[in-house]
Amino acid sequence: MASCFFLLKQFQDVLIYLGSIKNYFYNDDSFNFNLGQTKAVVGNFQEAEEVFLMIQSEKIKNDLTYLSWLARCYIMNLKPRLAWELYLRMETSSDSYSVLQMIANDCYKMGQFYYAAKAFDILERMDGNPEYWEGRKGACVGLFQLVIAGREPKEMLREILTLLRPSGPNNPQVEYITRVIKKWARENRLAL
């Protein structure tokens, strides 16, 4: 029955059904995989993360769907570093590329600009798509705003400058952003 509701995208109904049989399948990896996905789809990322982490099967834990949902749960639960580490443990493949794109975009949406910038930086080096430069630039500026607001440490300014460098010294946008950051650092007596 849960499978039918899942295919019909009636996820609240899936949760009701899975919840009614949860006690009988507590340690069943396939059950937990489906339950975790359903909880994530309805936006219950904290519980989804907990359920995903209960899974022991290496086959499931290496599945792109599992890795993508777990990374998304980490990001939505404000743990982008764990999503990043999950990506770093993956072998280079189309799967890791997909996870990296998801990390870049989800971190950006969630205002976790450091990991968004890192992901967009790698994506740009792999693909050269100009949208990845725009994402990296936007994430670096967002990270700078968080530093100014006191929500990120001031030491992050060096990271921002490092992340901007791959675009080359002849990029007027990079030069302008770099000048603004260095000026703000000087005004706040920070050594870069």
Side-chain angles (χ1 to χ4, degrees):
M1 196 66 194
S3 297
C4 176
F5 289 136
F6 198 92
L7 293 172
L8 292 171
K9 299 183 182 199
Q10 297 174 353
F11 298 109
Q12 291 297 338
D13 293 330
V14 175
L15 280 179
I16 291 168
Y17 184 77
L18 293 179
S20 72
I21 61 172
K22 183 178 175 181
N23 292 336
Y24 303 104
F25 294 97
Y26 184 75
N27 290 319
D28 184 284
D29 286 342
S30 294
F31 176 83
N32 286 329
F33 184 51
N34 290 325
L35 180 61
Q37 288 179 81
T38 305
K39 286 185 177 287
V41 166
V42 299
N44 193 341
F45 295 105
Q46 184 62 44
E47 287 183 27
E49 178 186 337
E50 292 168 10
V51 172
F52 281 133
L53 292 175
M54 290 172 52
I55 294 172
Q56 299 298 310
S57 166
E58 288 302 315
K59 182 179 179 199
I60 293 174
K61 289 167 78 171
N62 290 315
D63 182 82
L64 175 60
T65 304
Y66 172 86
L67 293 167
S68 297
W69 276 116
L70 182 58
R72 177 163 281 153
C73 288
Y74 284 147
I75 293 165
M76 297 303 168
N77 292 330
L78 306 178
K79 302 174 187 175
R81 182 183 55 79
L82 294 176
W84 184 253
E85 289 171 0
L86 189 81
Y87 160 73
L88 291 177
R89 287 193 301 270
M90 296 178 75
E91 292 183 24
T92 302
S93 66
S94 61
D95 288 354
S96 64
Y97 185 79
S98 295
V99 170
L100 187 61
Q101 286 180 309
M102 192 261 319
I103 289 171
N105 290 306
D106 282 2
C107 282
Y108 195 97
K109 286 182 219 168
M110 293 297 293
Q112 299 163 354
F113 295 118
Y114 175 63
Y115 290 100
K118 287 177 69 149
F120 280 124
D121 179 46
I122 291 172
L123 287 166
E124 184 185 12
R125 283 191 259 151
M126 291 170 72
D127 186 338
N129 184 332
E131 289 182 16
Y132 296 143
W133 155 242
E134 294 298 327
R136 182 164 51 104
K137 176 179 66 172
C140 287
V141 170
L143 184 56
F144 179 48
Q145 288 177 321
L146 293 176
V147 169
I148 291 170
R151 292 180 39 213
E152 286 285 351
K154 292 177 180 168
E155 292 75 28
M156 230 10 125
L157 294 177
R158 285 186 194 89
E159 284 290 325
I160 297 170
L161 295 175
T162 301
L163 285 164
L164 286 170
R165 275 192 202 116
S167 297
N170 298 327
N171 185 322
Q173 292 175 331
V174 171
E175 290 175 15
Y176 178 73
I177 295 168
T178 301
R179 262 195 326 271
V180 170
I181 290 172
K182 288 180 177 179
K183 180 181 179 215
W184 186 86
R186 265 192 318 277
E187 290 170 357
N188 288 275
R189 297 185 182 104
L190 299 171
L192 296 177

